[in-house]
């Protein structure tokens, strides 16, 4: 199956599945509308909400950091992890954004992706094709070829279930000795300092609970005012990604704790004894103050706009390639915010499909039009 066949199949499937979800759970649309209003409040006062979030994390017994760019984020996390450790990653696009996995590997750490798609990309030495389904362009035969490196019993005739089982067995051997679990965040609640994550595989649940240290790394755009907003965001993200109800929703509020003795809450308990939240700016604060660009910060990374875009359906991951983990229409916006790279915008034909399917009602074509204008001013310089 080639890329054209794969993307045609999954695009049609995603469209029909999301439409069915919205019919079966009509309150999702209201949640999305409310979420948009709440996220606009944060964008208008990002400095205030960053401070509120960091204060809330510290009150829970965790530690919060604000990194202005990639280098600062890598240094903070590198100092926390140290060297010669075993680190398990959940799927986190921000970690890709700052080159975190390679950075930690260069410091003599053993680092493993635990999301199945991301793991396949890692052992294939590839690059994510889609923000939610990173191995979207990989066939069963290609996945089998990659997994054969860790399990010789897997071959091109193996069933998908057998491939998944082989990866599960391998990753379980890494979980039991992991020193650090690193996750992203679908949302961070400013009022409680809680990190909300949505998943289906169960790897994030293990990454956040089994290692003695949990580090959550995410952009400041993931901050929402309240815990309710954080839960709204994971529900809306899952619905518009076409996987609803999600198998797991994880909420982490500081290090593990217990109140089983005299109802006095103490930390740590069975789970991690250390919790660190690393918030990254990397162009987001500047974007929040730009009237032409700030709507991009509303993106909840559901990846639905990818499927509506004729350019992504033609070019796939080659559109933005390894410049950024963000691809498709939203990737054009996010590659500019985080890398100041306007050129992927020049491929946009303004079909408008991305705007029609966006749950946050972001006027993506207008934002890309602005980025195109910025790019045009750089021609000849």
């Amino acid at each position: 199956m080639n890329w054209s066949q794969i993307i045609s199949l999954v695009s049609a499937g995603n469209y029909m599945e999301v439409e069915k979800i919205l019919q079966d759970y009509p309150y999702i649309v209201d949640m999305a509308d409310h979420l948009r209003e709440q996220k606009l409040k944060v964008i208008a006062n990002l400095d205030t909400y960053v401070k509120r979030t960091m204060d809330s994390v510290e009150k829970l017994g965790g530690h919060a950091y604000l990194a202005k760019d990639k280098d600062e984020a890598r240094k903070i996390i590198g100092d926390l992890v140290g060297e010669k450790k075993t680190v398990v990653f959940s799927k986190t696009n921000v970690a890709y954004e700052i080159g975190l996995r390679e950075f930690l590997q260069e410091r003599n750490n053993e680092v493993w992706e635990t999301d199945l798609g991301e793991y396949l990309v890692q052992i294939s030495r590839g690059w994510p094709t889609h923000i939610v389904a990173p191995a979207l362009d990989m066939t069963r035969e290609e996945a089998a070829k990659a997994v054969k490196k860790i399990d010789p019993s897997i071959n091109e005739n193996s069933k998908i279930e057998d491939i998944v089982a082989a990866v599960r067995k391998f990753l379980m051997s890494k979980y039991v000795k992991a020193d650090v679990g690193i996750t992203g965040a679908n949302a961070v609640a400013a009022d409680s300092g809680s990190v909300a994550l949505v998943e289906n595989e169960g790897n994030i649940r293990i990454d956040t609970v089994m290692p003695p240290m949990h580090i959550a790394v995410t952009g400041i755009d993931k901050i929402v005012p309240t815990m309710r907003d954080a839960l709204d965001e994971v529900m809306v993200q899952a619905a518009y990604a076409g996987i609803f109800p999600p198998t797991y929703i994880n909420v982490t509020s500081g290090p593990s704790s217990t109140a089983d003795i005299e109802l006095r809450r103490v930390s740590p308990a069975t789970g991690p004894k250390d919790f660190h939240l690393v918030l990254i700016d990397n162009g987001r604060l500047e974007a929040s103050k730009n009237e032409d660009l700030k709507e991009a910060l509303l993106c909840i990374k559901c990846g639905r706009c990818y499927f509506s875009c004729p350019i992504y359906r033609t070019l796939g991951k080659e559109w933005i390639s390894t410049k950024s983990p963000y691809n498709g229409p939203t990737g054009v916006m996010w590659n500019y915010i985080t890398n100041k790279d306007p050129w992927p915008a020049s491929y946009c034909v303004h079909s408008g499909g991305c705007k029609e399917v966006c749950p946050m009602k972001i006027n993506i074509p207008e934002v890309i039009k602005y980025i195109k204008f910025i790019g045009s001013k750089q021609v000849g310089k």
Side-chain angles (χ1 to χ4, degrees):
M1 192 181 297
N2 58 36
W3 169 248
S4 178
Q5 293 169 320
I6 292 173
I7 192 62
S8 295
L9 182 67
V10 300
S11 295
N14 173 267
Y15 178 81
M16 290 188 291
E17 186 60 32
V18 173
E19 289 300 307
K20 183 176 186 305
I21 289 168
L22 297 182
Q23 287 179 7
D24 292 345
Y25 306 92
Y27 53 82
I28 295 289
V29 175
D30 293 335
M31 292 170 72
D33 290 343
H34 181 259
L35 179 62
R36 175 185 163 91
E37 296 305 313
Q38 294 298 90
K39 287 178 76 72
L40 283 171
K41 292 179 184 176
V42 176
I43 293 170
N45 298 281
L46 199 45
D47 287 314
T48 300
Y49 277 99
V50 168
K51 184 178 186 308
R52 189 175 300 171
T53 302
M54 294 177 71
D55 288 346
S56 295
V57 171
E58 297 288 340
K59 286 178 184 175
L60 291 168
H63 304 282
Y65 315 80
L66 175 61
K68 65 180 179 183
D69 55 27
K70 300 175 184 180
D71 290 339
E72 201 167 290
R74 285 192 296 233
K75 183 178 187 314
I76 292 169
I77 297 171
D79 289 346
L80 289 171
V81 172
E83 297 185 359
K84 299 180 180 178
K85 303 288 178 56
T86 299
V87 183
V88 286
F89 268 47
S90 72
K91 179 160 61 63
T92 157
N93 292 300
V94 170
Y96 261 104
E97 177 185 323
I98 64 174
L100 185 58
R101 191 176 73 212
E102 294 78 8
F103 175 79
L104 294 177
Q105 288 172 326
E106 289 169 1
R107 293 167 65 94
N108 298 315
N109 294 293
E110 183 184 359
V111 185
W112 293 105
E113 300 283 354
T114 62
D115 172 83
L116 177 61
E118 208 67 84
Y119 174 78
L120 292 172
V121 171
Q122 180 185 11
I123 62 174
S124 303
R125 300 181 182 277
W127 191 257
T129 302
H130 186 270
I131 204 166
V132 175
L136 183 67
D137 59 341
M138 189 175 283
T139 63
R140 177 183 59 80
E141 291 80 4
E142 291 168 333
K145 183 180 179 181
V147 174
K148 187 177 177 62
K149 298 174 184 174
I150 59 158
D151 187 338
S153 71
I154 298 297
N155 57 57
E156 62 181 13
N157 296 317
S158 295
K159 296 187 295 184
I160 293 176
E161 288 83 351
D162 296 332
I163 298 170
V164 174
V167 174
R168 182 179 187 277
K169 181 181 178 182
F170 176 83
L171 290 178
M172 288 306 293
S173 71
K174 304 302 176 186
Y175 284 132
V176 297
K177 66 172 188 175
D179 301 289
V180 183
I182 295 181
T183 71
N186 289 104
V188 183
D191 63 347
S192 65
S194 303
V195 171
L197 286 154
V198 62
E199 60 158 334
N200 298 289
E201 296 179 17
N203 64 304
I204 292 178
R205 185 154 291 191
I206 300 176
D207 291 340
T208 58
V209 171
M210 187 171 282
M213 179 186 292
H214 173 201
I215 301 172
V217 53
T218 193
I220 54 177
D221 57 295
K222 287 297 180 183
I223 295 173
V224 290
T226 69
M227 175 81 87
R228 173 202 158 167
D229 302 323
L231 294 175
D232 279 358
E233 181 152 347
V234 298
M235 298 278 275
V236 174
Q237 197 271 356
Y240 282 86
I243 309 170
F244 195 89
T247 307
Y248 303 109
I249 290 175
N250 303 288
V251 176
T252 299
S253 306
S256 61
S257 65
T258 178
D260 276 348
I261 300 175
E262 298 181 351
L263 285 181
R264 186 168 72 87
R265 191 172 182 177
V266 298
S267 291
T270 306
K273 63 180 182 180
D274 293 311
F275 171 76
H276 303 271
L277 174 64
V278 181
L279 295 167
I280 296 178
D281 176 359
N282 202 28
R284 292 164 172 83
L285 189 57
E286 180 182 346
S288 74
K289 297 174 181 176
N290 183 327
E291 290 297 322
D292 295 305
L293 198 57
K294 67 179 185 182
E295 266 206 39
L297 300 177
L298 292 169
C299 179
I300 59 172
K301 312 292 194 299
C302 67
R304 199 181 184 207
C305 61
Y306 285 51
F307 302 130
S308 72
C309 176
I311 302 304
Y312 176 74
R313 289 168 62 111
T314 302
L315 298 179
K317 63 184 175 187
E318 301 306 321
W319 186 357
I320 299 178
S321 189
T322 57
K323 294 177 181 176
S324 169
Y326 313 110
N327 210 315
T330 194
V332 172
M333 300 190 296
W334 279 91
N335 186 45
Y336 181 74
I337 290 172
T338 58
N339 290 326
K340 296 294 179 287
D341 176 10
W343 296 113
S346 63
Y347 290 87
C348 177
V349 295
H350 294 275
S351 70
C354 50
K355 178 184 175 183
E356 295 301 317
V357 301
C358 177
M360 290 293 98
K361 299 178 179 172
I362 303 171
N363 194 339
I364 299 175
E366 276 302 300
V367 177
I368 292 179
K369 183 179 175 183
Y370 166 74
I371 297 171
K372 271 187 176 179
F373 172 68
I374 297 297
S376 69
K377 293 199 297 183
Q378 296 179 5
V379 174
K381 287 187 177 179

